[in-house]
Amino acid sequence: MPDPEHLPHVRKSPKVIPIISDSGSLYEARTKIQPRSISGKFAAWRWIMVWITQIVFYGLPWLEWGQRQMVLFDLGARRFYLFGLVLYPQDFIYLTGLLIISALALFLFTATAGRLWCGFSCPQTVYTEIFLWLEHRIEGERSARLRLDATGWSFEKLWKRTAKHGAWLLVSLWTGFTFVGYFVPIRQLGGELLALHGSWQIFWVLFYGAATYGNAGFLREQVCKYMCPYARFQSAMFDKDTLIVTYDEQRGEPRGARSKTKASAALGDCIDCTLCVQVCPVGIDIRNGLQYECIGCGLCIDACNSVMDKVSLPRGLIRLATPNGMAGRWSSARMLRRVGRPRVLGYTAVLVVLSAAMIASLALRTPLKVDVVRDRAALSRIVAGGKLENVYRLQIMNATESPQRYRIGARGIDGVEVASQPEVEVGATQAQWVAVQLRIPYGSAPEGAHQVYFDVESLGPNAARVSEKSSFLVPR
C-alpha cells in the first residue's frame, strides 16, 4: 500500500522526535486546537451537510409507516423494517450489497475530489462542528477561548465551562437515545427510560452518548489523525488528477507582510497571516503541502480568499486543484475535464450498475421465504394404508404487513402427496414453523434419496410463490 509520505505530491509532515519528558512520556504532548470560525463557500457547505445529516438521523426514527416505525432494526425479533420493506436475516445479501456500494462510492469520491466524506459528512466531522459551535456560542471566539484556557479558575470560567459541558452532554445523550431508537421503537424506548426500565437500553444510550461526548468534545482531530484508518490508506486512491486542497507555491512564495498602499515586488501573494492555520480543524499548515491529516474541508480556502479580498489580490492562492494542474498551470476547466478520466468513469459505471441491480432486486423481491428442515427423529416410516411417509418442518416467513394464508404442495415423485394440513395462516411480518408429512405409495419409488420440491403459494391478494428443494428417503 503506498504511503502518503512517499507520493510525489504529498509532503512529509514535520517529524516528531520522541523526547523523554519529566513525566517519562515518549510522546509529544498534545496542543489543544482552538479553530477560528470563518464564513465562506466551504463553511456554508459544511453546515448544509450538518443540517441534512442531522435532520435525517434525528428525524427518521420518529416517522411512521402504517402502524409501525418507518426505519427499525428489531434485533430481538430478527426483523428489519425499512420503509415498506420487511427484511429477514436471510436477506443479509442486501447488507453486503450496500457495503460494496458504499465502498465504491468512497473510492469514487476520493479519486475525484479527495476526502469529501471526511470534510463534510463523516459523523466525527459533523459532531465536532456542532460541539465547536456550542463552544463558540458559550465561550466566545478563538481569542476568547485561548484566553480562558490560559487563565486560572474564576466564576466566569466556571459557569462557561459548566454551561458548555452541560450542552455537550445534552446533545450526546439525545444522540445516544436516537441511535438506540433505530433498534428499539423510539416511543417505547422513551417510556422505558422515563420509568428507568430496560437496563440494556439505558446502557447503550449512555455508552453511545459517552462516545459522542468524548470523540466530539475532547478527541476531535485525534480521531482523524490516529484512530481512523482512512487517513492512512487514502493515498492509494489519489493520483495527480485528483482535486485536493492546494497552496499555490509559485504564486505565494516568498511570504511576507506588506503595506496595503505599497506592495513589495520581492514578495509573493501570501502575507503570512496564518489565518489558514487558525481555521484548520486539524491544525495543519496547508502551505507545507498536502499532509495525511488534511480532511479536505476547504476552510483554509475560505480564510485565504477573505484575506485576498482585503489586500486586493486575486482569489485562489489556496484552492481546489490537481497536482498536474498546478504544475502545468492549467485552467480550472481543463482540470475539471481531466477529473473525468477512465478510472473515475470506471468507478461510476460499476457503481451505477450495482445500485440499479440492488434496487431492481429489492423491487422484485418475493415477500415470502421458506426454509425446509427434515425431521431427524423419524427419517422414514410406513403408516396406515401401506404408504411411506417422511416428516419435515417448514419455516414460512411472511414478509408482508398483513396476515397471509398459504397453500403447501409437493412434487418430484410420482404419487407424492401432502398428508398434513395443506393450508396455513401466518400473521403479518411473522415466521411460523409447520410440520408437514409427505407420503408416497409403498414400492412406487426405488430405495435411496429422491428430490422433492415444496411449493408454497399465497392465497391472498399479494401473490407469491416459492419452491424449496429437499429429499425423500426410501429405506431398503
Side-chain angles (χ1 to χ4, degrees):
M1 183 186 300
D3 185 79
E5 295 185 351
H6 295 160
L7 290 181
H9 63 285
V10 179
R11 293 191 178 182
K12 295 182 179 181
S13 301
K15 293 189 178 295
V16 176
I17 300 175
I19 298 176
I20 301 178
S21 64
D22 294 338
S23 62
S25 174
L26 293 175
Y27 300 95
E28 181 186 43
R30 178 199 175 219
T31 302
K32 183 178 180 182
I33 297 174
Q34 291 283 14
R36 181 172 182 165
S37 59
I38 191 69
S39 60
K41 179 173 64 175
F42 290 94
W45 270 111
R46 276 166 65 87
W47 274 106
I48 289 171
M49 292 308 299
V50 167
W51 279 104
I52 291 175
T53 55
Q54 297 317 287
I55 287 173
V56 171
F57 175 72
Y58 290 119
L60 205 53
W62 295 98
L63 300 180
E64 293 191 350
W65 187 281
Q67 301 299 315
R68 62 164 174 85
Q69 190 168 307
M70 180 181 287
V71 177
L72 177 65
F73 307 105
D74 192 342
L75 299 180
R78 297 181 181 179
R79 305 285 186 278
F80 308 112
Y81 302 96
L82 190 63
F83 303 99
L85 296 174
V86 182
L87 304 177
Y88 288 84
Q90 289 83 350
D91 295 311
F92 188 80
I93 186 66
Y94 293 115
L95 175 61
T96 305
L98 180 62
L99 292 176
I100 293 173
I101 289 172
S102 299
L104 280 173
L106 186 64
F107 297 162
L108 172 62
F109 299 152
T110 306
T112 303
R115 295 177 67 176
L116 287 177
W117 165 258
C118 294
F120 296 89
S121 301
C122 174
Q124 179 64 23
T125 296
V126 168
Y127 286 105
T128 298
E129 191 73 8
I130 294 171
F131 276 41
L132 280 172
W133 181 84
L134 292 170
E135 189 173 57
H136 176 214
R137 290 296 174 184
I138 295 170
E139 294 187 352
E141 192 35 276
R142 178 175 183 267
S143 56
R145 299 199 303 271
L146 290 173
R147 213 165 34 245
L148 200 65
D149 288 341
T151 59
W153 284 98
S154 61
F155 176 76
E156 178 190 13
K157 185 172 183 176
L158 180 63
W159 82 258
K160 285 185 175 180
R161 289 292 161 87
T162 302
K164 178 182 74 174
H165 287 281
W168 285 359
L169 283 170
L170 286 175
V171 173
S172 300
L173 290 174
W174 188 253
T175 302
F177 170 73
T178 303
F179 179 77
V180 177
Y182 280 93
F183 301 91
V184 179
I186 198 164
R187 290 171 174 81
Q188 172 190 328
L189 176 64
E192 290 178 352
L193 293 181
L194 289 175
L196 296 180
H197 291 163
S199 55
W200 278 111
Q201 289 89 322
I202 294 173
F203 169 79
W204 286 114
V205 168
L206 294 177
F207 178 85
Y208 195 78
T212 305
Y213 179 69
N215 287 342
F218 298 94
L219 295 179
R220 292 185 178 175
E221 80 286 347
Q222 294 181 93
V223 174
C224 304
K225 286 182 177 181
Y226 309 120
M227 298 170 66
C228 178
Y230 182 50
R232 301 294 179 172
F233 69 74
Q234 57 161 330
S235 60
M237 293 174 275
F238 280 16
D239 57 36
K240 292 191 175 183
D241 287 310
T242 299
L243 283 169
I244 54 176
V245 178
T246 309
Y247 168 67
D248 192 342
E249 188 174 350
Q250 297 181 40
R251 175 184 155 189
E253 300 296 325
R255 312 169 195 169
R258 78 285 316 279
S259 169
K260 288 185 178 180
T261 57
K262 184 178 180 181
S264 172
L267 295 176
D269 285 355
C270 179
I271 65 172
D272 204 18
C273 63
T274 71
L275 199 61
C276 56
V277 181
Q278 295 176 36
V279 301
C280 180
V282 294
I284 64 170
D285 189 343
I286 196 63
R287 296 173 298 176
N288 293 332
L290 180 65
Q291 297 138 65
Y292 81 89
E293 298 95 336
C294 177
I295 62 172
C297 64
L299 295 182
C300 54
I301 299 177
D302 288 338
C304 188
N305 284 341
S306 68
V307 173
M308 292 296 102
D309 291 342
K310 292 177 182 177
V311 297
S312 302
L313 290 172
R315 290 185 165 202
L317 180 58
I318 301 176
R319 62 185 184 273
L320 276 179
T322 66
N324 276 337
M326 292 295 288
R329 314 308 293 174
W330 292 355
S331 65
S332 298
R334 185 177 178 185
M335 280 189 282
L336 289 175
R337 283 196 301 269
R338 184 57 191 156
V339 166
R341 56 201 181 279
R343 177 185 180 185
V344 172
L345 296 178
Y347 282 147
T348 305
V350 174
L351 187 61
V352 169
V353 170
L354 286 179
S355 300
M358 186 166 177
I359 293 171
S361 177
L362 284 169
L364 300 174
R365 171 176 164 272
T366 302
L368 167 64
K369 295 188 179 297
V370 178
D371 285 338
V372 180
V373 178
R374 288 190 56 87
D375 188 341
R376 301 296 180 183
L379 296 181
S380 185
R381 62 192 178 191
I382 298 176
V383 296
K387 292 192 174 183
L388 191 63
E389 180 181 87
N390 280 198
V391 181
Y392 306 82
R393 295 180 69 230
L394 271 61
Q395 186 186 40
I396 301 176
M397 289 168 276
N398 176 12
T400 69
E401 298 193 66
S402 59
Q404 297 290 326
R405 192 164 187 83
Y406 299 102
R407 178 186 293 122
I408 303 172
R411 56 187 171 86
I413 304 178
D414 290 339
V416 67
E417 63 180 8
V418 177
S420 55
Q421 183 69 28
E423 295 183 5
V424 62
E425 185 167 340
V426 182
T429 70
Q430 296 299 310
Q432 184 172 325
W433 285 99
V434 181
V436 178
Q437 293 92 37
L438 291 189
R439 293 177 182 175
I440 62 171
Y442 187 78
S444 62
E447 62 185 41
H450 303 268
Q451 282 190 359
V452 290
Y453 294 88
F454 288 93
D455 296 326
V456 182
E457 60 179 328
S458 171
L459 301 177
N462 296 320
R465 179 187 175 92
V466 171
S467 294
E468 283 294 325
K469 181 175 67 174
S470 188
S471 61
F472 190 98
L473 297 181
V474 178
R476 293 180 180 181

